[in-house]
């Protein structure tokens, strides 16, 4: 069921791939394009999640439910889906505001286990 949700999300314009990963980098499910290596994306996601967690702790906050990392090569959008995070990789120039509707919908479906 989770694979179906990720596959559907990947059909959105600008989405390169998506995965559900635990904060320590364990892959729960992944649907990545051929240009993305699952282990590399999972490791990068774990690194980013750890950095955000440390930064949040320094400001007195407990968790980050949603955040985005932008680079010259693309974007990674992170949404909390319970014990794991939905990680969506997009092209650099995608309009994330428009794509966020589909990303949030996928996160809801994963959190509530609805396909």
């Amino acid at each position: 069921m989770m694979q179906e949700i990720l596959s559907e999300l990947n059909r959105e314009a600008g989405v390169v791939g998506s995965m559900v990963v635990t904060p320590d980098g364990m892959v729960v499910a992944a649907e990545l394009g051929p240009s993305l290596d699952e282990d590399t994306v999972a490791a990068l996601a774990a690194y980013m999640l750890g950095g955000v967690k440390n930064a949040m702790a320094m400001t007195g906050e407990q968790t980050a439910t949603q955040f985005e990392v932008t680079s010259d090569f693309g974007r990674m959008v992170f949404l909390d889906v319970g014990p794991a995070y939905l990680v969506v990789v997009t092209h650099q120039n995608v309009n994330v505001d428009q794509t966020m509707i589909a990303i949030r919908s996928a996160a809801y479906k994963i959190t509530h286990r609805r396909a």
Side-chain angles (χ1 to χ4, degrees):
M1 179 184 331
M2 207 175 295
Q3 295 295 132
E4 294 172 19
I5 296 168
L6 296 177
S7 291
E8 181 181 332
L9 177 57
N10 290 354
R11 288 192 286 272
E12 288 294 316
V15 174
V16 178
S18 56
M19 69 185 337
V20 177
V21 63
T22 63
D24 60 354
M26 297 293 295
V27 176
V28 177
E31 284 291 323
L32 300 173
S35 65
L36 297 173
D37 177 70
E38 184 175 303
D39 292 334
T40 303
V41 175
L44 181 57
Y47 178 78
M48 292 295 177
L49 289 165
V52 168
K53 181 179 178 181
N54 290 340
M56 297 295 289
M58 292 174 72
T59 63
E61 297 295 326
Q62 296 295 319
T63 59
T65 58
Q66 176 183 323
F67 65 95
E68 175 186 332
V69 177
T70 303
S71 75
D72 289 341
F73 304 103
R75 298 174 187 218
M76 291 178 78
V77 179
F78 295 77
L79 272 85
D80 186 349
V81 291
Y85 281 81
L86 170 61
V87 180
V88 182
V89 181
T90 71
H91 292 292
Q92 177 192 20
N93 296 324
V94 71
N95 184 342
V96 175
D97 291 336
Q98 291 177 341
T99 308
M100 280 307 294
I101 295 169
I103 294 172
R104 285 190 183 116
S105 175
Y108 179 86
K109 291 174 184 177
I110 291 166
T111 302
H112 295 90
R113 305 290 192 264
R114 297 181 182 158

